[in-house]
Amino acid sequence: MKRENLTIIGTAHVSADSVEEVKNTIYEVQPEVVGIELDYGRYQRLRNEMKGIETDDTISMRKIIKENKVGIFFASSILGYIQNKIGQDVDVKPGSEMIGAIEAAEDLNIRIALLDRDINTTLQRALNKMSSWEKARFVFETLKAVLIGEDEEEEFDIEELKQEDTIEEVMKFFKEESPAVYEVLVNERDAYLARSISLIPEDNVIAVVGAGHKHGINHYLDHPEEIPTYEELTDIDKCKGIPWGKIILASIPIIFIAIFFLAFIHGVNITNELFEYFFVYIIMGFLGSILSGSKIPSAIVGGLVAPFTVMHPLLAAGMFSALVELHYRPVRKRDINNLGEVESLRDLWGNNIFRILLVFIGTDIGVSIATFFILPTNVFIPLAMKVFGL
């Protein structure tokens, strides 16, 4: 790729004007390659949509839950909700400008290059860098936006998002609100997109990207020595700092087992304590699930597994209750699209994605209440006092 022959089109992803700008530029310049801000998975979904190919829209939530990817799924669903909601407001389907680029490139028999990082890698890296407080605030702000919504009387011009001053203001706000997420969603993807563009062997290239990435891409292309390697931009195993959350979770079962073991070797009768331990976890797991709107079988399973899952930091009672709930509430891709039509709590309650996540979280909240509030004062502290003769 020759830098002087590169044309970067910064688009708003739900803009009718962006669609026309992309197509007109490709027809006018007729480059050797059209690069688009898509990964392979999203590209294939758009291609199927363009061809009118209907695929099974059932989402394998069982696999998502078993592989502990609920956080990624939740984040991607929210991003889908935001784009669909804006798209409905301006009557433009998300991804239309990418479809326009694909159509123009195919019409002129121009090669298409996929520039973006896999969305799952991006979301996992973002979640890994977010603090617990940032995650909680993200969930809260999202639910508030869904349930309360925005001021309907406020005028909204999607084209303003492509203006340099507006982009700078939005990016500055995003960076201040969540520096870690900004680093992954903006800076890292700027670098990844720039590296993908720089590796295109043809000379004359048009790159179609979100307007918010254009400045960063140009910076990295002007300073290629600053671009990280693909390995650095895609590794999801590295975790900086001490994982206090994981340490605390792992220490809970160790403390429980240690207290019971010490009581046993000191000859303390622990029958009543063991009974109360199982009883409290079963009841709280059941209540957490049923109060979250689950079916009775899901609540029963969540309650029965609660005393055992707490002994393993990688297992959660909510995982099991949600898996059972999936039998009654299968999740489909249309449920993600329907999030954009949510206007009330009743609409949200009717969405299977929300219901499954609610059961998952609700069951775990019930178990957490037992772990941190009920059992310490009722079982473990009194038992420890017996062990040490206090």
Side-chain angles (χ1 to χ4, degrees), residues 93-329:
K93 195 168 185 178
S96 294
E97 87 284 17
M98 297 300 167
I99 291 178
I102 294 170
E103 290 175 339
E106 290 184 341
D107 186 36
L108 296 173
N109 197 28
I110 296 172
R111 185 173 80 84
I112 295 173
L114 304 180
L115 306 177
D116 207 359
R117 180 171 61 185
D118 182 89
I119 183 62
N120 291 321
T121 299
T122 296
L123 293 176
Q124 186 62 67
R125 286 177 67 91
L127 290 172
N128 286 348
K129 290 194 175 185
M130 289 175 73
S131 66
S132 298
W133 167 246
E134 285 179 312
K135 291 175 183 177
R137 188 171 60 177
F138 172 71
V139 173
F140 173 77
E141 292 295 336
T142 299
L143 292 177
K144 185 175 73 172
V146 171
L147 296 175
I148 300 176
E150 304 292 338
D151 185 358
E152 295 184 358
E153 296 182 358
E154 184 178 351
E155 291 289 332
F156 178 61
D157 183 3
I158 195 70
E159 289 305 308
E160 289 185 4
L161 292 179
K162 297 193 293 182
Q163 303 302 317
E164 289 295 331
D165 54 346
T166 304
I167 292 172
E168 185 176 347
E169 184 178 344
V170 171
M171 291 297 102
K172 181 179 179 181
F173 174 78
F174 189 20
K175 187 175 183 178
E176 291 174 350
E177 285 295 303
S178 182
V181 177
Y182 176 87
E183 173 65 23
V184 175
L185 296 186
V186 182
N187 278 351
E188 285 189 2
R189 288 182 63 222
D190 289 348
Y192 193 98
L193 291 167
R195 179 164 289 281
S196 297
I197 292 170
S198 67
L199 293 177
I200 294 175
E202 290 85 352
D203 294 333
N204 196 350
V205 177
I206 285 181
V208 183
V209 300
H213 292 294
K214 186 173 180 179
H215 177 76
I217 291 172
N218 279 321
H219 170 80
Y220 279 115
L221 290 176
D222 291 337
H223 303 86
E225 72 281 357
E226 296 182 14
I227 305 178
T229 64
Y230 274 139
E231 289 74 16
E232 292 174 311
L233 292 169
T234 57
D235 187 1
I236 60 175
D237 294 326
K238 292 181 179 179
C239 184
K240 297 180 180 180
I242 301 174
W244 291 111
K246 293 181 179 179
I247 292 175
I248 293 173
L249 287 175
S251 67
I252 291 174
I254 295 174
I255 293 171
F256 288 179
I257 294 172
I259 291 175
F260 280 123
F261 178 74
L262 288 173
F264 175 76
I265 65 175
H266 279 79
V268 178
N269 188 340
I270 60 175
T271 303
N272 291 336
E273 284 78 6
L274 280 173
F275 174 79
E276 188 167 357
Y277 168 86
F278 279 92
F279 178 78
V280 169
Y281 269 125
I282 290 172
I283 292 300
M284 292 307 297
F286 178 88
L287 287 177
S289 181
I290 204 72
L291 291 176
S292 300
S294 76
K295 300 290 185 180
I296 291 178
S298 306
I300 291 174
V301 170
L304 290 176
V305 301
F308 305 99
T309 56
V310 76
M311 292 295 180
H312 196 300
L314 298 181
L315 295 179
M319 177 178 73
F320 292 91
S321 57
L323 286 172
V324 176
E325 192 70 13
L326 279 169
H327 178 73
Y328 303 97
R329 306 183 196 280

Side-chain angles (χ1 to χ4, degrees), residues 346-367:
R346 175 175 293 185
D347 293 338
L348 193 61
W349 188 255
N351 188 283
N352 283 351
I353 291 178
F354 176 77
R355 295 295 294 277
I356 295 297
L357 291 175
L358 190 63
V359 169
F360 188 107
I361 296 170
T363 305
D364 283 347
I365 288 176
V367 174

Side-chain angles (χ1 to χ4, degrees), residues 38-55:
L38 292 175
D39 62 11
Y40 181 77
R42 286 181 290 165
Y43 172 72
Q44 285 299 320
R45 287 192 289 273
L46 278 183
R47 291 288 300 159
N48 289 336
E49 181 181 317
M50 291 168 62
K51 295 178 180 179
I53 299 175
E54 294 185 5
T55 56

